[in-house]
Amino acid sequence: MKKVVVTLVVAVLAVFSFAAFEVTGGYVHSSVAASDTAAASNVSFNGLSIGANYLYEDLGFVEGGALVLGGAFDYYFPVEATNTVEFSQMDITLNVGYRQSLNPFLPELPVDLFVEGLFNYSFGLGDAKLTSSSLAFGGGAGAAFVVQNLDVKVGADILFAKPTIVDDYKEDYKNSFKPKFKVFAGVEF
């Protein structure tokens, strides 16, 4: 068993040695729609997100392109849905996507601008959660620049998420697509 674990760790380190690593933090907003028959109202979650991504650059087919693999922990501040119900949502998110730098096409830009497309899957944590999981797709844009020898990135993503409501509230809330916004800043290593 130890040999298998050591082999897997060595393989992961070998793969990741060809990638850039970024750590981000920021603001996240998500919402869930109330059903037409329920007395409940729409719920909006606001919170903080901390994430990490591996960027596999130099893929060989488009200059400035990178495969994005990573994840995030989203903590949403408690929301009072009714006088008796308060939701406290936390999500673990897994991301996969593609990021394209615009500088190969527009070399006169003063900073490195990028666009990205993302798919992600989130699963909810906690006893007072509203969504047990969520599947989302969308995109975003951002800029990368150097500050004191650090590669800094800032950006925003908009995703369209389809949540799976927990069993206790399936009658009150819809499993419908709603936008999810994320504004982030981070450092690349």
Side-chain angles (χ1 to χ4, degrees), residues 22 55 99 114 143-145 151-155 184-188:
E22 72 178 10
L55 303 172
R99 182 178 291 175
F114 62 85
F145 46 90
D151 290 330
V152 177
K153 298 198 176 186
V154 294
F184 62 89
V187 177
E188 181 179 315

Side-chain angles (χ1 to χ4, degrees), residues 19-189:
F21 180 73
E22 72 178 10
V23 177
T24 62
Y27 165 80
V28 64
H29 171 83
S30 182
S31 60
V32 176
S35 67
D36 298 331
T37 59
S41 60
N42 294 347
V43 176
S44 291
F45 293 104
N46 296 294
L48 301 174
S49 177
I50 299 171
N53 293 315
Y54 283 104
L55 303 172
Y56 294 96
E57 299 169 331
D58 301 325
L59 298 175
F61 53 91
V62 177
E63 184 181 348
L67 179 65
V68 179
L69 297 174
F73 173 75
D74 299 337
Y75 172 78
Y76 295 100
F77 302 115
V79 173
E80 189 174 304
T82 65
N83 290 338
T84 59
V85 177
E86 182 176 273
F87 296 117
S88 178
Q89 185 78 28
M90 293 180 284
D91 290 337
I92 299 282
T93 302
L94 304 174
N95 298 314
V96 63
Y98 180 78
R99 182 178 291 175
Q100 178 64 52
S101 171
L102 298 179
N103 282 33
F105 310 108
L106 303 167
E108 68 278 356
L109 293 173
V111 296
D112 182 16
L113 298 180
F114 62 85
V115 293
E116 61 187 1
L118 296 170
F119 288 96
N120 75 30
Y121 178 77
S122 303
F123 51 95
L125 302 172
D127 296 331
K129 65 186 175 197
L130 177 58
T131 62
S132 59
S133 64
S134 177
L135 184 63
F137 66 94
F145 46 90
V146 176
V147 176
Q148 296 292 326
N149 295 329
L150 290 175
D151 290 330
V152 177
K153 298 198 176 186
V154 294
D157 295 328
I158 180 169
L159 303 169
F160 295 95
K162 185 174 188 311
T164 301
I165 307 299
V166 295
D167 291 337
D168 294 342
Y169 300 105
K170 280 192 176 188
E171 301 297 321
D172 299 330
Y173 296 96
K174 295 182 198 177
N175 290 332
S176 61
F177 280 99
K178 295 289 278 183
K180 178 179 180 178
F181 303 97
K182 185 180 277 189
V183 179
F184 62 89
V187 177
E188 181 179 315
F189 301 99

